[in-house]
Amino acid sequence: MKPLGLLFVICSLASTGFSISCKSCWHMQDSPCNGSSVACSSDQVCVASYTLVTSVISETPQYTLSCGSRSECNLNGSLTFNYGKVRTGTSCCDTDNCIPPFPTLPPVSSQKNGLTCRACFSETSDYCYTSDRVECTGDEIKCGRMGRRLSGTVTKNDALRGCATRSYCEIFGIHMVTIQGLNVDSKMFCSDGAVALHVGLFGSIVAILLTKLLF
């Protein structure tokens, strides 16, 4: 084969990207889950997400494993509302059906940062609004509202509003994924504390939140 032809073939192969398979599963435990293998899109990796929802009466863990973007790897963040706090961490690996290292959650900070946000929770609608407020701490420098619609094995709408880290506004907050028959459509709206909220951007996967309240 002529060098020019060989170069064309190499460039064509490179442009198609590389695909792997990942396990797809979720459960309400603080340990990895084991599910069926699914083919990922080109250049995706296996992403593990661990979320812990803490309230005054309980702690609810949630672990998910699925295909995702490299932009989701090795991140963490939190969202605080008037009934508790949601913390999420992610980790990744890039070989067929690999299991990523267990994700690390962000530490809980009590240092107030001067921002105050409205706070609410609804387990019947993907929108909520009240006069309640929460004082923000640590890296939670955004006011955010997240609404979710679940369908499939569970049909449910819920929403929460409060203080959020930048990672929740830009990475964790908006998500569309199907895992073991559960379809999750989650949207995050964030602001710097102004009345109007703008849509945050999303990398994918995220996390499935407040599952204890679904059952």
Side-chain angles (χ1 to χ4, degrees):
M1 181 180 291
K2 294 181 179 181
L4 183 59
L6 178 60
L7 178 61
F8 177 77
V9 171
I10 293 175
C11 292
S12 297
L13 291 174
S15 65
T16 61
F18 176 72
S19 299
I20 64 172
S21 295
C22 296
K23 298 288 188 179
S24 177
C25 59
W26 70 276
H27 63 190
M28 294 169 56
Q29 298 181 30
D30 55 1
S31 61
C33 55
N34 186 24
S36 58
S37 178
V38 298
C40 301
S41 300
S42 177
D43 296 326
Q44 286 191 316
V45 295
C46 300
V47 181
S49 175
Y50 176 60
T51 295
L52 185 64
V53 182
T54 304
S55 70
V56 293
I57 60 174
S58 66
E59 285 192 343
T60 305
Q62 172 75 54
Y63 181 95
T64 67
L65 183 59
S66 65
C67 302
S69 168
R70 291 184 183 273
S71 63
E72 303 168 49
C73 297
N74 304 316
L75 300 173
N76 59 45
S78 61
L79 193 160
T80 299
F81 59 116
N82 46 349
Y83 297 117
K85 181 183 287 287
V86 181
R87 291 185 293 155
T88 298
T90 62
S91 60
C92 298
C93 58
D94 57 6
T95 58
D96 279 335
N97 298 315
C98 59
I99 303 298
F102 197 81
T104 301
L105 297 179
V108 176
S109 174
S110 59
Q111 183 65 44
K112 296 179 181 179
N113 59 31
L115 179 66
T116 300
C117 300
R118 292 191 181 276
C120 59
F121 170 73
S122 171
E123 53 184 335
T124 59
S125 171
D126 60 357
Y127 178 85
C128 70
Y129 182 88
T130 70
S131 60
D132 293 344
R133 291 186 173 273
V134 61
E135 293 184 288
C136 304
T137 60
D139 294 331
E140 294 179 350
I141 59 174
K142 297 285 187 178
C143 292
R145 173 176 61 84
M146 184 168 63
R148 295 190 311 154
R149 296 182 178 182
L150 287 79
S151 60
T153 55
V154 173
T155 300
K156 183 75 174 179
N157 291 345
D158 57 27
L160 60 84
R161 183 192 295 260
C163 304
T165 59
R166 191 179 300 276
S167 57
Y168 252 91
C169 294
E170 298 178 352
I171 301 295
F172 297 130
I174 299 180
H175 186 54
M176 294 183 66
V177 67
T178 298
I179 303 178
Q180 292 182 323
L182 178 64
N183 306 308
V184 181
D185 183 0
S186 177
K187 292 181 173 60
M188 186 80 181
F189 303 83
C190 289
S191 76
D192 294 324
V195 174
L197 295 176
H198 61 274
V199 179
L201 301 177
F202 178 66
S204 178
I205 191 75
V206 70
I208 302 174
L209 305 177
L210 303 177
T211 50
K212 186 180 182 65
L213 297 174
L214 301 180
F215 301 99

